[in-house]
Amino acid sequence: MTAVTEAPAVAPFPAPTGDARRAVLALARVEARRLLLHPLVLAALAAYLTVLLWPGGEPEDAYPVLQDIDRETQLGHVLLGPVVMIAANLAVLRSHRRGTDGHFAVLVLPPWQRTCAHLLSVLPTVLVTALIVTGQFTAGALKPGAVGRGSVFELLTGPLLILVCAVLGVLLGRVAGSALVAPLAAVALLAGTFIFAASPEPGSWLRSVSPVVVDDGGQPLPSDLLGRPAGWHALYLLALSVLAAAGAVLVSGGRTRAVRVTAVASLGAVVATVVLQGMAPSDAVREAREVATRDPAAVQDCERRGATTYCAFPEFTPWIDEWALVTDKARSLASGPEATRALTVRQKVAALDGPSGMWELSPAAPGELTVSTAWGGERELEFAASVARGLVVGHERYGGAHCDARGVLMVWLAIRATRDGATMFERTGDNYNSPGVIQAPVSAISLRGREYAVVERLLAEPRAEVDRKVKASWAELSAPGTTTDRAAALLGVTAPAESADDRERMCA
Amino acid sequence: MTRPPGSRPTVSAAGLALRYRGTRAVDDVTLRLTEGVTGLLGPNGAGKTTLLRILATATPPDNGAFTVLGHDPSTVRGRQDARGALGYLPQNPGFHPDFTAFEFIDYVAILKELTDRRTRHAEARRVLDAVGLADVRGKRIRKLSGGMRQRVALAAALVGDPKFLVLDEPTVGLDPEQRMRFRELIAEAGEGRTVLLSTHQTEDVAMLCHRVVVMDKGRVRFDGTAAELTAVADGRVWSSAERQPGARAGWRTGTGEFRNVGDPPAGARLVDPTLEDGYLLALGGDTPAEVAA
């Protein structure tokens, strides 16, 4: 016979408090912990953080433009959201899947209040993603090269996306008793996001209903030119969450007046925010884009440093020091009147079509150089090429490949005026499918194979020695008509023979 | 120490009826339960589980009315109050395998609206202690044996010290030792509470219940004490060398003789009846032979 375990003496147990609200909060706490510690969520968060914290990155990352960085926080959430949706859905379906329905049905807390608890339980996960977003953005903002201004609404979009997904997971759990529905919905959400987000038409309602509004333009824009309906979109996501939450509570039997009113109000808010997103950008933003594109001088701050005047949109003026380093270095390698030629470096944007618009800039007037709204890494080499062209030929117009000494000279200057310029120059073939092309902000500086080979040979020589020869032969190297063979000879290397490809290239 | 069962009705039902898939699963059932353990016996499909689900407020009846500890479950408020006062162990209790025993009981306690964290945790520990699972309360349920899981389910039913306990075949699938352990737990639970125990095990009823209700085809066939149910078979159980044609049920016993239940022939060797004999006879003339085969 089994040994009998004597029941412990039991003090009279207090009756249930009947405080359903407190029970909802207690259940929400339990479910919140389980949701955050769900293996799927943990794995997704770990993967997300790993990507964020992975050492390395591009040199451009040292110069973040904060009005772009805020949007970059959203993309990871597009992948994280479906995972949270599935985990929240599994939590709601737990009782059904594990057969505790029959037992739990007679417990005091009504199903709709359990649904409320599940809805509340997603908030800590949303908060965690908000903290990650805050950390991600703050890390960018604290970089010495950071410029611009982030938007709170853009930063809220990622966490709100998690909220929408989690609440949809709860709703699906209450509408459909199968754990297969949420994964299917997650796939549909991902597919829909990429299809809708790919719609480039600003104001398109497809973009408005998409979880994130992607603007994948060529270069950053000043923040006041973005014209993104970030605030309306954040409100749209919030309204969608509230609508789905109200739907889940209604389906669970919580057909109170307050819930019905909330459902109707949030539906109205969803429709209104979709419409309002479609109305962006405002006339004021359009006008500002027009001015910034066609007459940037009207809105720029300028600063004179020696013979160079730098004009930038106000948010970008911290980069003037960086531009000046490149310009000064290029000038120091030059000689003659070109070394002190007066130049204006002007920042330009192509903002007429907003952040997703085509990025095409027209050449500046002679004596003016263009600098873009991106900096770091190859952008430095590109700007240095622009400065070199300004010093050597004095204008930005593209007339074809540089098939003479001036091409060799400009590229040499660009390489020497840029941190790690040689490495970046050698990578030009990877980036543009054509070695020897430096994509300067307005028009590329392009070398033929012959001139490229001369530059490569120069890079194999001691840099200081080549610099000295450049300075000594500056007048001849920078003169129109000096041949590549002559440049090579002046600089102490040989030039290869002209190839058939070289002969086919149009020369400037 | 056991207390004598109370006589004041705690659960009253009148004219309960529920159709399920075209049949009368529960048909005009009237009951008055008092403190102590009441056994509910009946063959498969007799309507026991349906009746238990109605009394546990899981399924509303089509007809009839009932009260649980004075609460009327036909109203929202009454149903909530009744649920706050009852504990239910369903026939096939599910579990959340990745919860520990403690977490599962704590979860149930929250759903019973025990909201103060310290009190709730103390209660979870109390009921796990009561069912002898104190040592494994931190173990995941997936790692517990079937008997332990069944005890977790009983602990869940005991959360909040309910005054009305509905137990639907709690000893099914348990080995004899575990069944014995469960009997002790149910006997303890019956002290100061109303326990309605549905079972196929007449031994459980004989050992535990101060009162027995026999159901068949949705109707109550017998309602009385265990002694009264046994008495139904007084003079209707006899032994013989061969199976008797007049026996409603008969089987060869370990002695080689047949034990017959039914209407004995003249001069039959009568033997003392058991509660099971009374149960078989209480089921009526159309008792399935396999019950005693």
Side-chain angles (χ1 to χ4, degrees):
Chain A
M1 189 172 145
T2 307
V4 177
T5 307
E6 223 170 84
V10 177
F13 190 79
T17 61
D19 187 346
R21 197 170 295 175
R22 287 175 63 197
V24 167
L25 291 176
L27 185 59
R29 273 195 293 274
V30 170
E31 291 292 356
R33 183 175 155 274
R34 301 196 77 87
L35 181 64
L36 255 179
L37 297 178
H38 193 284
L40 278 177
V41 175
L42 279 182
L45 285 173
Y48 187 30
L49 285 172
T50 303
V51 169
L52 287 182
L53 301 175
W54 195 258
E58 297 296 318
E60 292 90 323
D61 296 342
Y63 298 91
V65 178
L66 298 182
Q67 53 264 35
D68 280 10
I69 293 294
D70 58 7
R71 290 208 300 282
E72 285 174 15
T73 61
Q74 297 168 8
L75 209 56
H77 291 76
V78 175
L79 302 174
L80 191 57
V83 173
V84 176
M85 177 196 281
I86 292 169
N89 181 259
L90 287 175
V92 172
L93 289 175
R94 187 192 301 117
S95 187
H96 179 68
R97 290 188 302 125
R98 301 301 184 188
T100 51
D101 277 354
H103 180 197
F104 288 6
V106 302
L107 300 180
V108 181
L109 195 67
W112 72 271
Q113 289 182 324
R114 298 178 201 182
T115 300
C116 290
H118 279 287
L119 291 168
L120 290 174
S121 76
V122 308
L123 294 179
T125 303
V126 173
L127 186 64
V128 166
T129 60
L131 289 174
I132 293 174
V133 164
T134 306
Q136 189 181 352
F137 182 78
T138 306
L142 291 178
K143 286 181 179 169
V147 295
R149 197 175 65 216
S151 155
V152 172
F153 296 116
E154 297 283 11
L155 292 171
L156 278 174
T157 298
L160 284 172
L161 179 58
I162 300 298
L163 180 66
V164 171
C165 288
V167 171
L168 281 176
V170 174
L171 174 63
L172 289 173
R174 289 304 184 212
V175 171
S178 168
L180 288 175
V181 176
L184 290 175
V187 170
L189 183 76
L190 278 174
T193 300
F194 289 113
I195 291 168
F196 293 168
S199 168
E201 195 60 46
S204 153
W205 70 270
L206 278 179
R207 270 166 62 92
S208 303
V209 299
S210 172
V212 293
V213 179
V214 175
D215 275 310
D216 193 13
Q219 301 278 344
L221 288 183
S223 56
D224 56 343
L225 306 186
L226 287 174
R228 281 170 56 83
W232 292 127
H233 191 70
L235 269 178
Y236 159 73
L237 292 176
L238 185 63
L240 198 60
S241 305
V242 175
L243 178 62
V249 175
L250 284 171
V251 169
S252 309
R255 298 184 180 89
T256 65
R257 186 179 158 79
V259 177
R260 286 189 185 135
V261 168
T262 303
V264 172
S266 55
L267 178 62
V270 167
V271 173
T273 48
V274 167
V275 172
L276 288 165
Q277 285 182 74
M279 291 166 69
S282 67
D283 289 343
V285 170
R286 285 178 203 280
E287 195 177 326
R289 286 176 180 176
E290 185 84 21
V291 171
T293 305
R294 302 199 194 287
D295 183 20
V299 290
Q300 286 184 333
D301 293 339
C302 294
E303 200 175 314
R304 190 177 172 83
R305 306 248 180 122
T308 313
T309 302
Y310 299 91
C311 296
F313 294 102
E315 288 172 340
F316 292 85
T317 51
W319 284 353
I320 287 177
D321 290 341
E322 298 284 336
W323 302 337
L325 280 177
V326 172
T327 313
D328 292 348
K329 176 71 177 173
R331 283 187 190 279
S332 73
L333 296 168
S335 179
E338 287 89 348
T340 54
R341 174 182 282 173
L343 290 174
T344 298
V345 173
R346 184 172 302 288
Q347 197 174 34
K348 284 191 190 167
V349 291
L352 293 179
D353 294 325
S356 278
M358 291 291 289
W359 195 267
E360 201 172 322
L361 299 174
S362 51
E368 270 203 8
L369 303 176
T370 300
V371 65
S372 77
T373 46
W375 189 248
E378 285 166 12
R379 304 295 89 74
E380 291 187 42
L381 180 66
E382 291 165 7
F383 174 65
S386 188
V387 172
R389 180 154 50 194
L391 292 175
V392 176
V393 300
H395 65 78
E396 290 186 322
R397 288 190 308 279
Y398 180 76
H402 292 281
C403 313
D404 56 7
R406 296 206 296 184
V408 173
L409 177 61
M410 284 189 288
V411 170
W412 177 257
L413 286 181
I415 291 170
R416 293 290 290 127
T418 313
R419 282 172 289 201
D420 209 17
T423 309
M424 284 187 279
F425 176 70
E426 281 161 3
R427 286 205 320 238
T428 53
D430 303 336
N431 295 340
Y432 305 117
N433 299 318
S434 174
V437 176
I438 302 175
Q439 202 66 45
V442 173
S443 56
I445 289 180
S446 173
L447 298 185
R448 300 183 304 171
R450 191 161 184 254
E451 286 72 32
Y452 179 81
V454 171
V455 174
E456 273 197 316
R457 287 171 189 182
L458 290 175
L459 287 172
E461 300 293 315
R463 305 282 159 84
E465 183 61 23
V466 178
D467 288 345
R468 192 188 58 73
K469 289 175 182 170
V470 164
K471 220 173 177 63
S473 309
W474 178 267
E476 192 173 354
L477 287 170
S478 61
T482 306
T483 64
T484 304
D485 285 325
R486 177 62 183 155
L490 287 170
L491 298 173
V493 294
T494 57
E498 200 174 48
S499 68
D501 280 350
D502 290 345
R503 280 192 290 277
E504 284 177 9
R505 295 284 297 274
M506 187 184 83
C507 293
Chain B
M1 199 172 94
T2 55
R3 289 193 329 190
S7 56
R8 199 161 50 92
T10 48
V11 178
S12 302
L16 291 181
L18 180 69
R19 291 186 76 84
Y20 182 67
R21 292 183 181 167
T23 61
R24 293 179 181 211
V26 171
D27 188 8
D28 194 24
V29 168
T30 296
L31 276 178
R32 286 157 75 87
L33 304 181
T34 55
E35 267 186 19
V37 183
T38 298
L40 183 60
L41 283 171
N44 286 331
K48 302 188 301 293
T49 292
T50 307
L51 176 63
L52 260 54
R53 284 180 57 79
I54 291 172
L55 295 178
T57 75
T59 307
D62 294 336
N63 281 306
F66 68 107
T67 59
V68 174
L69 304 162
H71 306 299
D72 177 5
S74 66
T75 66
V76 174
R77 180 74 218 172
R79 189 160 54 246
Q80 288 296 95
D81 290 344
R83 286 176 173 176
L86 68 84
Y88 176 42
L89 193 164
Q91 191 172 7
N92 297 305
F95 298 98
H96 299 168
D98 52 337
F99 281 50
T100 64
F102 180 85
E103 286 171 340
F104 185 72
I105 298 301
D106 186 51
Y107 197 89
V108 169
I110 291 171
L111 296 182
K112 284 194 170 182
E113 294 191 358
L114 305 183
T115 55
D116 179 72
R117 193 161 174 269
R118 285 182 62 182
T119 314
R120 194 176 71 236
H121 285 189
E123 174 66 351
R125 282 192 291 272
R126 180 189 74 81
V127 294
L128 285 168
D129 284 355
V131 299
L133 292 179
D135 295 343
V136 296
R137 63 177 173 230
K139 247 190 174 178
R140 304 232 173 263
I141 291 178
R142 73 160 69 89
K143 293 188 174 168
L144 299 181
S145 68
M148 284 178 169
R149 289 182 187 191
Q150 198 69 353
R151 279 193 266 166
V152 171
L154 180 61
L158 289 170
V159 167
D161 195 18
K163 294 301 171 203
F164 177 37
L165 206 51
V166 181
L167 309 177
D168 195 354
E169 300 191 19
T171 56
V172 163
L174 300 184
D175 62 32
E177 190 179 326
Q178 289 171 332
R179 247 184 33 228
M180 186 66 71
R181 172 82 187 120
F182 243 81
R183 275 185 200 147
E184 290 157 6
L185 293 172
I186 293 167
E188 285 163 13
E191 291 176 26
R193 286 194 189 88
T194 302
V195 178
L196 182 55
L197 168 70
S198 165
T199 181
H200 284 300
Q201 311 283 340
T202 50
E203 302 154 59
D204 288 348
V205 173
M207 291 187 186
L208 286 169
C209 304
H210 75 282
R211 190 173 156 211
V212 189
V213 174
V214 178
M215 276 187 84
D216 189 28
K217 296 195 171 76
R219 299 185 76 98
V220 172
R221 304 292 182 180
F222 174 87
D223 186 352
T225 64
E228 286 168 346
L229 181 56
T230 305
V232 168
D234 275 352
R236 299 180 71 185
V237 185
W238 71 101
S239 64
S240 60
E242 298 295 331
R243 179 172 177 147
Q244 299 283 296
R248 206 171 283 171
W251 61 94
R252 193 185 295 278
T253 64
T255 61
E257 290 215 313
F258 267 83
R259 183 181 173 90
N260 305 285
V261 180
D263 297 319
R269 264 183 295 135
L270 295 177
V271 295
D272 288 339
T274 63
L275 185 127
E276 187 170 68
D277 300 327
Y279 163 63
L280 290 174
L281 289 167
L283 287 176
D286 47 356
T287 307
E290 66 266 23
V291 172

